[in-house]
Amino acid sequence: MTAKIRLYVEHPLGPGQSVPLTREQAHYLFGVMRLSVGGQVALFNGQDGEWLADVAEASKRGGLLSCAEQTKPLQLPPDLWLLFAPIKKARTDFIVEKAAEMGAARIMPVQTEFTNSERIRQDRLQAHAVEAAEQCGGTFVPEVTELQRLDRVLDAWPEGRQLMFCDEAEVGSALRLAENEPGQPWAILIGPEGGFSDQERKRLKALPYAHVVSLGPRILRADTAAVAAMTMWQQALGDWS
């Protein structure tokens, strides 16, 4: 049996485990969703899979859930990072939500030379990733990192991780991801609204682990490009293939 309501909790899950609720969670379950004692919720914490839990105590300020049975094992996504330059607030939220739904293991906002946004609310974006996992039935929540400069990220790039560099200047060129072996650590880089600078493009193309790809015959908005790139990668090398 699967409950209609899914909730992310920062608490261990297991047989007979009691899970206390925060005031916000209690308001959502008992005030908004009108659950009461005896109701059921699907819980996940990003580590222990999904568990069906019964409402043992319910009040406006808190409550207690009791784990009954595991309904899904932990399903880890491929080892894929999404790097993107933040754009307008709602569209940045969209990128984070879709990346979480589509199977990113880590979401990394990066500041490029032409990035318009110089700051983000990391906690708010992380909350969007949690909400996306709750809605899509996932059992894993990707980490959303703080905003970092792209050049510094590249300076500290981990050995063995490949990079799919989506360059709007390559519109119309062929996609060759399928020539690579599945199962390797990867990252996808989406540029800002104004594109990459000549200096950034030159550095990226010179990297031995970078794979320059096109996202089709038309220049895409950054949020559309993120979804298109993840779709292409998942079909060629991820857990959709």
Side-chain angles (χ1 to χ4, degrees), residues 5-61:
I5 302 171
R6 300 185 81 243
L7 189 67
Y8 173 81
V9 294
E10 295 181 353
H11 197 278
L13 302 175
Q17 178 72 54
S18 294
V19 181
L21 296 172
T22 65
R23 185 167 186 162
E24 292 76 14
Q25 290 170 334
H27 171 72
Y28 171 68
L29 293 181
F30 311 134
V32 178
M33 301 307 295
R34 303 297 182 184
L35 280 188
S36 58
V37 172
Q40 293 186 315
V41 184
L43 301 180
F44 69 104
N45 60 5
Q47 298 177 338
D48 300 318
E50 180 188 88
W51 286 78
L52 186 66
D54 300 315
V55 178
E57 299 176 14
S59 72
K60 294 180 179 179
R61 297 185 178 183

Side-chain angles (χ1 to χ4, degrees), residues 110-159:
V110 294
Q111 187 170 10
T112 67
E113 290 189 30
F114 295 156
T115 300
N116 292 325
S117 178
E118 296 183 356
R119 62 181 63 185
I120 62 166
R121 280 278 307 279
Q122 185 271 342
D123 58 339
R124 186 176 59 82
L125 293 180
Q126 186 67 65
H128 279 296
V130 168
E131 291 172 6
E134 288 176 339
Q135 293 295 321
C136 75
T139 56
F140 175 85
V141 178
E143 174 194 10
V144 182
T145 66
E146 292 282 3
L147 182 65
Q148 307 169 70
R149 279 176 41 178
L150 175 61
D151 57 349
R152 293 180 180 173
V153 172
L154 295 176
D155 287 342
W157 196 258
E159 184 177 353

Side-chain angles (χ1 to χ4, degrees), residues 135-215:
Q135 293 295 321
C136 75
T139 56
F140 175 85
V141 178
E143 174 194 10
V144 182
T145 66
E146 292 282 3
L147 182 65
Q148 307 169 70
R149 279 176 41 178
L150 175 61
D151 57 349
R152 293 180 180 173
V153 172
L154 295 176
D155 287 342
W157 196 258
E159 184 177 353
R161 184 171 295 276
Q162 304 299 303
L163 176 65
M164 176 177 164
F165 163 39
C166 304
D167 185 3
E168 75 280 356
E170 297 290 326
V171 166
S173 64
L175 180 74
R176 293 182 294 275
L177 281 182
E179 297 174 4
N180 296 275
E181 288 292 328
Q184 291 181 305
W186 272 81
I188 295 171
L189 173 61
I190 302 294
E193 300 282 76
F196 294 100
S197 69
D198 290 340
Q199 182 178 354
E200 289 169 334
R201 188 175 285 111
K202 182 178 179 181
R203 180 181 184 184
L204 286 161
K205 287 187 175 182
L207 296 173
Y209 52 81
H211 304 256
V212 183
V213 300
S214 164
L215 296 179

Side-chain angles (χ1 to χ4, degrees), residues 78-91:
D79 190 356
L80 175 65
W81 298 354
L82 175 67
L83 285 65
F84 73 99
I87 45 180
K88 293 179 181 178
K89 179 180 175 182
R91 290 166 62 191

